[in-house]
Amino acid sequence: MTKIKITLPDGSAREYAKGITAGEIAFSIGKRLGEDALVAKVNGKLKDLFVPINEDSTLQILTFRDKEGLEVFRHSTAHLLAQAVIELFPDAKLTIGPLVEEGFYYDFDIAHHFTPEDMERIGQGMHEIVKKDYKVERIELTESEAKKLFKDNPYKIELVEEFHKEKQPLSAYRQGDFIDLCRGPHIPSTGKIKAFKLTKISSAYWHGDQTKQQLQRIYGISFPDKSMLEQHLKLIEEAEKRDHRKLGKELEWFNFFEESPGAPFFYPKGAVIYNQLLNFIRAEYKKRGYQEVITPLLYDKSLWVTSGHWEHFREHMFTLESEGREFAIKPMNCPSHLLIYKSKSRSYKDLPLRIADFAPLHRNELSGTLAGLTRVRKMSQDDAHIFVALEQIEGEISRVLDFTNFIYKKVFDFDFEVELSTKPEKFMGKIEDWEKAENSLKHALENNKIKYKIKEGEGAFYGPKIDFHIKDALGRGWQLATIQLDFQLPERFDATYVGADNAKHSVVMIHRALLGSLERFIGILVEHYAGKLPLWLAPVQARILTVADRFEKYANKIKEEFDENNLRVEVDARTESVGYKVREAQAQKIPLILTVGEKEESKGAVALRTIDNKVYFDVKVDNLLDKVF
Amino acid sequence: MTKIKITLPDGSAREYAKGITAGEIAFSIGKRLGEDALVAKVNGKLKDLFVPINEDSTLQILTFRDKEGLEVFRHSTAHLLAQAVIELFPDAKLTIGPLVEEGFYYDFDIAHHFTPEDMERIGQGMHEIVKKDYKVERIELTESEAKKLFKDNPYKIELVEEFHKEKQPLSAYRQGDFIDLCRGPHIPSTGKIKAFKLTKISSAYWHGDQTKQQLQRIYGISFPDKSMLEQHLKLIEEAEKRDHRKLGKELEWFNFFEESPGAPFFYPKGAVIYNQLLNFIRAEYKKRGYQEVITPLLYDKSLWVTSGHWEHFREHMFTLESEGREFAIKPMNCPSHLLIYKSKSRSYKDLPLRIADFAPLHRNELSGTLAGLTRVRKMSQDDAHIFVALEQIEGEISRVLDFTNFIYKKVFDFDFEVELSTKPEKFMGKIEDWEKAENSLKHALENNKIKYKIKEGEGAFYGPKIDFHIKDALGRGWQLATIQLDFQLPERFDATYVGADNAKHSVVMIHRALLGSLERFIGILVEHYAGKLPLWLAPVQARILTVADRFEKYANKIKEEFDENNLRVEVDARTESVGYKVREAQAQKIPLILTVGEKEESKGAVALRTIDNKVYFDVKVDNLLDKVF
């Protein structure tokens, strides 16, 4: 029997009989891997587990934990759905069933309108198919075989002709009596789909074209075990409760209007959050030697040609015309800061020069991609550009990392992961400058005791960068801070400095935004804290509730004390029950609820209820001022 | 002898013999008036003083203090200049000699290039013509007479033909041997021009058309006495020294770049001024019940159609296209605030609702009209819109006036004049609402003890308004605050509130900006204070100078104390002389210069020199913190 050599991802190699399948190899490695295996990568190509391997190959067994494993699993669930629909509604015509970010869907051409009861029955049907644990088979087809097989389905016929024209091989997958045109791969049997949920039904059109046949689309999500599905559904529910668009509107913090797509309106309370964040960053800037500037928004085309944005970013800019000149609204601040840098001759004594700017930026994003505060057309970044000499990179990056660490860890207590992206194949500048720069970044990370992964070759062509990804309270990842070295832009603008040697030198630019856009950061914070913002950011920090009318004077007296200390405090002296007033304050996500009555007034105190429902009696106002705020 | 009746501006009437001249009447009223008289308005029309009056007429004698008197005086000075040039350079061909804002000019076609020495000689020549005190005569001409008279001057021939075509009467003015085509009127004799100065020479083109003959333009200014000229020249010199564009650049506070016409770059020090002003207004807003919002800059055309800007203001807006929709960058905030107002149902309990916004605004001003910070394309206003019920107008306007008075008088100590503009002929809304509103404004002004002039009928068609004009340190007037009532815009947006009667009512909107645009206000402040800004606005409030290296530590220790108190203090520890360092700090317009040496360190004190050069020794740092800042 001929032997073949199978090389695994860890580099180890094993010998197997020719014709062995990836599924069998998985079991030979371990029972658990055999059971979890969904699909394989043979010589870098995705293949069904049941396809025989006939030559020396590299092999990777994929499970649900691998992105491609997950995708195949969900795609197989789409087939499972289609099979159940066909069994219940034999008249339905199958069209396509691809993946989406959250699961999968399948589009059906059927005269009958699916009802919630139908969805129940379809789910039942799917469960039965899972129980039967059909083996999945792959069938290679010629064009004529395919056309014969799907002769009753004009959609599949259209697809067959399309694939044939593009010279793609044709194949179908069978499980039990069900067969569907599909290029695969698929999981080996229907029994693996232990948990799924049909989430939504909507209408669609063949090829997304409103002039074509209307279809019914069923969405779903699936997992290899029930606990994963339950966890997912809980997360979805929690995420919906925390959705910043929903909370922003309910709490009257911010909102959007159709007249200005992708551009948030911050209402008075939202503007407090915005300005608190901005002032926090400003105060740090003062300590850390940054200098704020205020710059124009509209610039002549010539500036964007110099910066390269006209060539590479034009479709993302809003452009307009005035007096025969073309202008663009700025999508980023770098060119403005280069104009400032170049407005006078700079010496090595001026470096590092740290220029900060909160200017509103505009990007002409497709309206379909806009999503609350996290994907906008108008935003302000906590943006700064630092001009340094090559030998200052390490020290300055170290300072920027300290700043980032301070914000993420000390102020917001976010977990984060860090990636260093290095020189790509196509790069600009001298190789030894890149090496120096990359080493500087590594040293700076190590000096700050920040763990990082290296993404080899994934830097921009104009310089290496460091990215921060935070995890929010629901475990969702968000890319936030970017610290980007740039050798190129200063060169395009001929930005230099005079060194101690009296000669001209190229200056290096560091682009850095630590919160990213203020808008997006606020969106993330609202969801991370489920609206219960830290005291210093809360639009209203405390509300004083009277237990009866006669304590309004005392309540107002306390409020004045808070006002003098520049705190944000309200009085609720309405003749409602305390319980009602507490519930309202809680719904408003106010961190501190202070109740005042007979006893409190006599002691110069308040009863304090925190947002986590901890209650403290007889809290002296001075103590509150000293210790809580 | 026939008598005619002459009615004077005060309504009194006098009888004179038919054929009397306005000049003679002026003398009959008083010698001083006779001497000061330059020109007259007979039955509302400007006439030479020497023209006989032959019928009952109204008469106004104009002197240099009247705008039209001043204009005729300057125009006559242009003739004086032309006469002197022709006497010295008989080959020069006269073209035109009109007024400009600062004086007058005359354009000459002459091969010889005027030198500074020529200007001297021309000035001398003018003085001699003044001394000769030529009588000025008016000569009415037919077209053929005019063409004959000016046959050697193609420019005048062209003008004659033009005037004739437009059916304008033709006339010339003669003084001595000099004669010029002119519609007049003119002052009666050259002797009245007691003081003048030729200020500038530049090149020009006939009809401003670069394809036509190049001309030489001589500019000048003139006054009826020398002290006025001297005062004027001093003012010009002082204004040039204080020019905010010059100071802004020298002090590195702000600057402009060709890439963004009319849009200032505030450098770090300028941004401090900007943010200090903004935070001052913010702090007042908090006390006065205003709520800040942060709003988008780009809005769909439909919003501007609703607001009426698309019809009336479109050419001043920057417009652009995205995904087939037309957008405009906002030139003002009102429509944004109406969207917010209308985002929920409003009750009488919500009013007055005061919405404040510092959003950058853009107006597509002609690039030729842009001038430093005082005429820009991009600006932010200390803008707010107040929504009130009709009966709340008086109370709310009273509060706005108190706010304005506080800023102008208490904070900046500006003198100001106030105008109330009332219902114009064409107005919108009910006449009784206008009456109520105007009475409310009057009462509010009176309650605040603010003197005001009424500008009858000069209100906007959508509501009456109050304007504030301040006077700066050079006596120049600036229109600043506007408080504008608006009945119309809320109606266009159908903005209402539910009254205590449970019925819907129209809401009234108050547009108000007290500093106006922050940019323009900063420009005015810089010139008003000649760069020596009040302590709270100064970008650097104090600079600590060491008398020798060894006091650097002490200087830094003091600086830290100031830093902790959020003050803006620098240390100059260079090994330069104290005198040199003081001069540099003064040139930087730093309000407080603190010198530290042996004696100061031993006493925990500083030597203090103020920006007005007052010196105080042994000032304790605590005292500085308590009493100066």
Side-chain angles (χ1 to χ4, degrees):
Chain A
M1 205 160 66
T2 326
K3 295 277 185 187
I4 53 169
K5 195 175 85 175
I6 297 296
T7 308
L8 298 172
D10 64 1
S12 67
R14 297 182 180 210
E15 285 206 333
Y16 290 99
K18 183 175 165 183
I20 192 166
T21 68
E24 289 160 348
I25 295 176
F27 271 105
S28 84
I29 296 171
K31 186 164 172 273
R32 176 75 179 274
L33 184 64
E35 281 166 357
D36 288 354
L38 297 173
V39 67
K41 229 176 190 170
V42 182
N43 294 324
K45 283 192 184 150
L46 274 184
K47 295 281 178 195
D48 298 301
L49 284 181
F50 46 76
V51 172
I53 304 174
N54 293 318
E55 53 187 19
D56 291 354
S57 301
T58 63
L59 174 70
Q60 190 185 358
I61 304 292
L62 302 178
T63 72
F64 194 77
R65 283 179 295 279
D66 300 295
K67 187 165 174 283
E68 287 161 313
L70 178 148
E71 285 170 358
V72 167
F73 185 84
R74 296 259 163 92
H75 181 48
S76 292
T77 320
H79 277 218
L80 175 63
L81 163 63
Q83 182 174 7
V85 168
I86 287 295
E87 286 177 2
L88 287 161
F89 302 93
D91 289 347
K93 284 202 168 48
L94 303 180
T95 67
I96 55 164
L99 296 178
V100 286
E101 204 180 329
E102 275 298 305
F104 62 87
Y105 67 77
Y106 209 112
D107 283 349
F108 303 95
D109 176 7
I110 175 171
H112 170 75
H113 277 271
F114 291 134
T115 64
E117 292 72 31
D118 295 336
M119 298 294 276
E120 277 290 318
R121 287 170 63 210
I122 294 169
Q124 283 301 332
M126 288 169 73
H127 276 300
E128 274 156 38
I129 299 164
V130 169
K131 252 189 247 160
K132 287 182 184 149
D133 195 17
Y134 292 123
K135 285 254 157 320
V136 175
E137 275 174 82
R138 176 183 172 91
I139 308 158
E140 311 284 345
L141 298 167
T142 63
E143 191 205 0
S144 61
E145 286 167 348
K147 281 192 166 171
K148 200 171 150 202
L149 194 56
F150 296 104
K151 64 181 189 320
D152 298 330
N153 184 324
Y155 303 102
K156 298 292 176 184
I157 295 294
E158 193 182 322
L159 292 173
V160 166
E161 285 170 354
E162 205 176 288
F163 294 166
H164 182 67
K165 216 161 113 193
E166 293 167 6
K167 302 202 167 133
Q168 292 186 42
L170 289 163
S171 60
Y173 279 76
R174 184 204 304 273
Q175 51 200 46
D177 294 336
F178 174 80
I179 190 157
D180 197 1
L181 182 76
C182 183
R183 64 189 79 168
H186 277 280
I187 61 173
S189 69
T190 58
K192 289 197 177 285
I193 305 171
K194 297 270 191 283
F196 60 83
K197 189 177 162 66
L198 300 181
T199 50
K200 204 168 60 170
I201 181 157
S202 73
S203 71
Y205 293 91
W206 176 239
H207 283 321
D209 179 345
Q210 294 194 17
T211 65
K212 302 214 162 144
Q213 178 60 44
Q214 198 177 0
L215 308 170
Q216 290 184 69
R217 175 173 297 178
I218 299 176
Y219 286 91
I221 185 97
S222 62
F223 294 91
D225 75 49
K226 279 196 179 149
S227 66
M228 283 171 88
L229 173 63
E230 276 160 24
Q231 207 185 337
H232 174 81
L233 295 177
K234 236 164 111 180
L235 197 80
I236 294 279
E237 194 191 0
E238 186 54 36
E240 272 169 13
K241 270 196 235 158
R242 291 169 179 237
D243 187 319
H244 73 274
R245 289 165 295 190
K246 182 174 150 281
L247 285 177
K249 205 170 169 175
E250 277 172 17
L251 297 169
E252 294 187 40
W253 286 1
F254 44 81
N255 202 2
F256 290 83
F257 290 91
E258 191 21 50
E259 285 85 348
S260 194
F265 281 70
F266 286 92
Y267 288 169
K269 286 178 183 168
V272 169
I273 303 170
Y274 199 99
N275 286 329
Q276 282 293 109
L277 259 185
L278 207 145
N279 286 333
F280 155 64
I281 294 290
R282 264 196 188 125
E284 286 302 314
Y285 279 167
K286 202 179 168 187
K287 291 181 207 152
R288 294 168 190 269
Y290 287 72
Q291 300 186 301
E292 185 181 339
V293 297
I294 299 170
T295 52
L297 308 187
L298 269 177
Y299 295 86
D300 188 273
K301 173 183 161 180
S302 61
L303 183 76
W304 305 112
V305 169
T306 304
S307 70
H309 286 89
W310 199 258
E311 192 184 345
H312 300 297
F313 205 73
R314 187 174 174 186
E315 75 272 28
H316 295 295
M317 299 201 289
F318 290 104
T319 57
L320 56 87
E321 203 241 50
S322 168
E323 297 180 355
R325 290 171 69 173
E326 272 189 284
F327 290 88
I329 311 182
K330 70 172 161 186
M332 33 191 96
N333 288 310
C334 4
S336 318
H337 296 175
L338 275 156
L339 285 178
I340 293 175
Y341 183 86
K342 279 187 59 86
S343 68
K344 61 188 255 190
S345 138
R346 303 287 178 178
S347 113
Y348 67 99
K349 291 180 197 163
D350 298 329
L351 306 184
L353 181 68
R354 304 179 190 94
I355 299 181
D357 202 325
F358 297 103
L361 306 176
H362 288 76
R363 297 183 187 171
N364 195 1
E365 306 287 358
L366 295 176
S367 54
T369 67
L370 301 172
L373 293 178
T374 47
R375 184 93 179 192
V376 290
R377 282 186 173 171
K378 182 214 171 205
M379 66 183 147
S380 289
Q381 296 183 325
D382 65 325
D383 196 16
H385 293 96
I386 309 176
F387 295 89
V388 291
L390 193 60
E391 59 274 18
Q392 293 174 320
I393 292 177
E394 182 176 329
E396 191 57 27
I397 293 289
S398 200
R399 278 185 287 272
V400 175
L401 289 173
D402 176 73
F403 194 173
T404 317
N405 204 38
F406 170 74
I407 294 178
Y408 290 3
K409 270 281 154 220
K410 296 271 166 60
V411 179
F412 292 106
D413 195 23
F414 281 132
D415 283 331
F416 58 78
E417 287 173 3
V418 177
E419 292 167 353
L420 167 62
S421 300
T422 59
K423 181 166 61 60
E425 273 184 45
K426 284 189 182 171
F427 65 93
M428 219 210 87
K430 282 181 267 175
I431 203 158
E432 57 271 30
D433 288 351
W434 272 85
E435 272 169 22
K436 262 192 232 166
E438 287 177 5
N439 283 327
S440 301
L441 297 190
K442 285 178 193 167
H443 290 154
L445 283 161
E446 283 149 20
N447 292 343
N448 277 274
K449 300 194 176 66
I450 294 173
K451 282 185 198 156
Y452 63 98
K453 280 188 220 158
I454 292 187
K455 296 186 85 172
E456 209 68 67
E458 297 206 10
F461 72 95
Y462 48 88
K465 68 170 175 168
I466 297 173
D467 284 317
F468 280 72
H469 302 259
I470 61 135
K471 276 224 158 117
D472 74 6
L474 297 188
R476 296 173 302 181
W478 298 95
Q479 207 243 291
L480 283 185
T482 296
I483 304 163
Q484 168 80 59
L485 277 193
D486 192 343
F487 301 120
Q488 194 221 15
L489 206 58
E491 205 133 302
R492 291 187 82 116
F493 277 84
D494 191 26
T496 57
Y497 69 94
V498 176
D501 57 0
N502 246 329
K504 255 195 189 180
H505 297 268
S506 299
V507 73
V508 180
M509 202 169 170
I510 302 170
H511 308 255
R512 41 116 298 179
L514 306 189
L515 306 181
S517 99
L518 290 172
E519 285 74 6
R520 183 161 171 270
F521 194 76
I522 289 172
I524 293 169
L525 282 187
V526 168
E527 301 201 358
H528 177 66
Y529 291 113
K532 299 175 181 177
L533 295 181
L535 196 58
W536 69 278
L537 275 179
V540 179
Q541 297 176 296
R543 190 179 277 179
I544 308 170
L545 315 182
T546 53
V547 305
D549 279 1
R550 63 184 183 283
F551 304 109
E552 187 170 350
K553 211 174 142 189
Y554 177 58
N556 283 326
K557 200 193 111 203
I558 304 175
K559 176 180 154 47
E560 268 171 41
E561 260 183 83
F562 288 119
D563 283 350
E564 275 165 31
N565 284 276
N566 242 329
L567 300 170
R568 303 180 294 277
V569 176
E570 295 176 349
V571 170
D572 182 354
R574 290 174 305 165
T575 52
E576 304 284 353
S577 77
V578 170
Y580 178 83
K581 294 203 273 191
V582 165
R583 281 192 301 280
E584 255 200 25
Q586 284 173 332
Q588 288 289 307
K589 315 284 183 196
I590 296 171
L592 304 175
I593 301 176
L594 313 178
T595 312
V596 295
E598 196 74 55
K599 199 176 67 171
E600 285 78 17
E601 179 163 10
S602 70
K603 295 189 180 174
V606 299
L608 164 66
R609 181 188 293 265
T610 69
I611 200 159
D612 318 312
N613 255 318
K614 285 183 194 139
V615 180
Y616 304 86
F617 295 103
D618 298 339
V619 181
K620 294 268 188 290
V621 175
D622 286 351
N623 269 345
L624 260 183
L625 281 172
D626 286 354
K627 300 199 179 138
V628 181
F629 286 103
Chain B
M1 206 160 66
T2 328
K3 294 276 184 186
I4 55 169
K5 194 175 89 178
I6 297 296
T7 309
L8 298 173
D10 64 2
S12 67
R14 297 182 179 209
E15 286 208 330
Y16 291 98
K18 183 176 165 183
I20 194 167
T21 68
E24 288 161 348
I25 296 176
F27 272 105
S28 84
I29 296 169
K31 184 164 173 274
R32 175 75 179 274
L33 184 66
E35 281 166 357
D36 287 354
L38 296 173
V39 68
K41 230 173 190 171
V42 182
N43 294 323
K45 283 192 183 148
L46 274 183
K47 295 279 179 194
D48 298 302
L49 284 180
F50 45 77
V51 172
I53 304 174
N54 294 318
E55 52 188 18
D56 291 354
S57 301
T58 64
L59 176 69
Q60 189 184 357
I61 304 291
L62 302 177
T63 72
F64 195 77
R65 281 178 296 280
D66 301 295
K67 186 165 175 282
E68 287 161 313
L70 176 149
E71 284 170 0
V72 167
F73 185 85
R74 296 259 163 93
H75 181 47
S76 292
T77 319
H79 277 218
L80 174 64
L81 163 63
Q83 182 174 8
V85 167
I86 288 295
E87 286 178 1
L88 288 161
F89 302 93
D91 290 345
K93 285 202 169 45
L94 303 180
T95 67
I96 56 164
L99 296 178
V100 285
E101 203 180 331
E102 276 296 306
F104 61 88
Y105 66 78
Y106 210 113
D107 283 349
F108 302 96
D109 176 7
I110 176 172
H112 170 75
H113 278 271
F114 292 134
T115 63
E117 292 71 31
D118 294 337
M119 299 291 277
E120 277 290 319
R121 288 169 61 211
I122 294 167
Q124 283 301 333
M126 288 168 73
H127 276 301
E128 273 157 37
I129 299 164
V130 169
K131 252 190 247 158
K132 287 182 184 148
D133 195 17
Y134 291 123
K135 284 256 160 318
V136 175
E137 273 175 86
R138 177 182 171 93
I139 308 158
E140 312 282 346
L141 298 167
T142 63
E143 191 205 1
S144 61
E145 286 168 347
K147 280 193 166 170
K148 200 171 148 200
L149 195 56
F150 296 105
K151 64 182 191 312
D152 299 331
N153 184 325
Y155 304 102
K156 299 291 176 183
I157 295 292
E158 193 181 322
L159 291 173
V160 166
E161 285 170 353
E162 205 176 288
F163 294 165
H164 182 67
K165 217 160 113 191
E166 293 166 3
K167 301 202 168 135
Q168 291 187 42
L170 289 163
S171 60
Y173 279 76
R174 184 205 304 273
Q175 51 201 43
D177 295 335
F178 174 80
I179 190 158
D180 197 0
L181 181 76
C182 183
R183 61 188 81 168
H186 278 279
I187 61 173
S189 69
T190 58
K192 290 198 177 283
I193 305 171
K194 297 271 191 282
F196 61 83
K197 187 176 163 69
L198 301 180
T199 50
K200 203 167 60 169
I201 182 158
S202 74
S203 72
Y205 293 91
W206 175 239
H207 283 320
D209 178 346
Q210 294 195 16
T211 65
K212 302 214 161 143
Q213 178 60 42
Q214 198 175 3
L215 308 170
Q216 290 184 68
R217 175 172 296 177
I218 299 176
Y219 286 92
I221 185 98
S222 62
F223 294 91
D225 74 48
K226 280 200 177 146
S227 66
M228 282 171 87
L229 173 63
E230 276 159 23
Q231 207 184 335
H232 174 82
L233 295 177
K234 237 164 111 178
L235 197 78
I236 295 280
E237 194 190 359
E238 187 54 35
E240 273 170 12
K241 269 195 233 156
R242 290 168 179 238
D243 186 318
H244 71 274
R245 289 165 296 189
K246 182 175 150 280
L247 284 177
K249 205 170 169 174
E250 277 172 17
L251 298 168
E252 296 187 40
W253 287 0
F254 45 80
N255 201 3
F256 291 83
F257 290 91
E258 190 23 48
E259 284 86 348
S260 193
F265 281 69
F266 286 92
Y267 289 169
K269 286 177 183 168
V272 169
I273 303 170
Y274 199 99
N275 286 330
Q276 282 294 110
L277 259 184
L278 206 145
N279 286 333
F280 155 64
I281 293 290
R282 264 197 189 127
E284 286 302 314
Y285 279 166
K286 200 176 170 190
K287 289 181 208 152
R288 294 169 190 269
Y290 287 73
Q291 300 186 302
E292 184 181 342
V293 296
I294 299 170
T295 52
L297 308 187
L298 269 177
Y299 295 87
D300 187 274
K301 173 183 163 181
S302 61
L303 183 77
W304 305 112
V305 169
T306 304
S307 70
H309 287 89
W310 200 258
E311 192 183 347
H312 299 296
F313 205 73
R314 187 174 173 185
E315 74 274 28
H316 295 295
M317 298 200 290
F318 291 103
T319 56
L320 56 86
E321 204 240 48
S322 166
E323 298 181 353
R325 291 172 68 174
E326 271 188 286
F327 291 89
I329 310 183
K330 70 172 162 187
M332 33 190 97
N333 288 310
C334 3
S336 318
H337 296 175
L338 275 155
L339 285 180
I340 292 175
Y341 183 87
K342 278 187 60 83
S343 68
K344 59 188 257 191
S345 139
R346 303 287 179 179
S347 115
Y348 66 100
K349 293 180 195 160
D350 298 329
L351 306 184
L353 180 70
R354 306 177 187 94
I355 299 181
D357 203 326
F358 297 104
L361 306 175
H362 288 77
R363 296 185 186 169
N364 195 1
E365 307 285 359
L366 296 175
S367 53
T369 67
L370 301 172
L373 293 178
T374 48
R375 184 92 179 192
V376 289
R377 283 186 174 172
K378 183 214 171 203
M379 66 183 147
S380 289
Q381 294 183 323
D382 63 327
D383 196 14
H385 292 96
I386 309 177
F387 295 89
V388 292
L390 193 59
E391 59 273 19
Q392 292 175 319
I393 292 176
E394 182 176 330
E396 191 57 28
I397 294 289
S398 201
R399 279 185 286 272
V400 174
L401 290 172
D402 176 75
F403 193 174
T404 318
N405 205 36
F406 169 75
I407 294 178
Y408 288 4
K409 269 283 155 220
K410 296 271 166 59
V411 180
F412 291 107
D413 195 23
F414 282 132
D415 282 333
F416 59 79
E417 287 173 2
V418 177
E419 291 169 352
L420 167 63
S421 299
T422 59
K423 182 167 59 60
E425 273 185 44
K426 286 189 182 172
F427 64 93
M428 220 210 86
K430 283 182 266 176
I431 202 158
E432 57 270 30
D433 288 351
W434 273 86
E435 273 168 22
K436 263 191 232 166
E438 286 176 4
N439 283 327
S440 301
L441 297 190
K442 284 177 193 166
H443 290 154
L445 283 160
E446 282 148 21
N447 291 343
N448 278 274
K449 300 194 176 68
I450 294 173
K451 281 186 199 155
Y452 64 98
K453 279 189 221 158
I454 291 185
K455 297 186 87 174
E456 208 70 66
E458 297 206 9
F461 72 95
Y462 47 88
K465 67 169 177 171
I466 298 173
D467 284 318
F468 282 71
H469 302 259
I470 61 136
K471 277 227 158 115
D472 74 6
L474 298 188
R476 296 172 302 179
W478 299 94
Q479 206 244 292
L480 282 185
T482 295
I483 304 165
Q484 169 78 59
L485 276 192
D486 192 343
F487 301 119
Q488 196 220 12
L489 207 57
E491 206 133 304
R492 291 186 82 116
F493 279 83
D494 190 26
T496 58
Y497 68 94
V498 176
D501 57 0
N502 244 330
K504 256 195 188 179
H505 296 270
S506 299
V507 73
V508 181
M509 202 168 167
I510 302 170
H511 307 254
R512 40 115 301 178
L514 306 188
L515 306 180
S517 97
L518 290 172
E519 284 75 5
R520 183 161 171 270
F521 194 76
I522 289 172
I524 292 168
L525 282 187
V526 168
E527 300 200 357
H528 177 65
Y529 291 113
K532 297 175 183 178
L533 295 182
L535 195 58
W536 68 279
L537 275 179
V540 179
Q541 297 176 296
R543 189 179 279 179
I544 308 169
L545 316 181
T546 53
V547 305
D549 280 1
R550 62 184 184 284
F551 303 109
E552 188 171 350
K553 210 173 144 190
Y554 177 58
N556 283 327
K557 199 192 113 204
I558 303 175
K559 176 179 155 45
E560 269 170 42
E561 259 183 85
F562 287 119
D563 283 350
E564 275 165 30
N565 284 275
N566 243 329
L567 300 170
R568 301 180 296 275
V569 177
E570 295 177 349
V571 170
D572 182 355
R574 290 174 305 166
T575 50
E576 304 283 353
S577 77
V578 170
Y580 177 83
K581 294 203 272 191
V582 165
R583 281 193 301 280
E584 256 200 22
Q586 284 173 333
Q588 288 289 308
K589 316 284 184 197
I590 296 171
L592 304 175
I593 301 175
L594 314 178
T595 313
V596 296
E598 194 75 53
K599 200 176 63 169
E600 286 78 18
E601 179 163 11
S602 70
K603 295 187 181 175
V606 300
L608 164 66
R609 179 187 294 266
T610 69
I611 200 158
D612 319 313
N613 254 320
K614 286 184 194 139
V615 180
Y616 304 87
F617 294 103
D618 298 338
V619 181
K620 293 268 188 291
V621 174
D622 285 350
N623 270 344
L624 260 182
L625 281 173
D626 286 353
K627 301 201 178 136
V628 180
F629 285 103

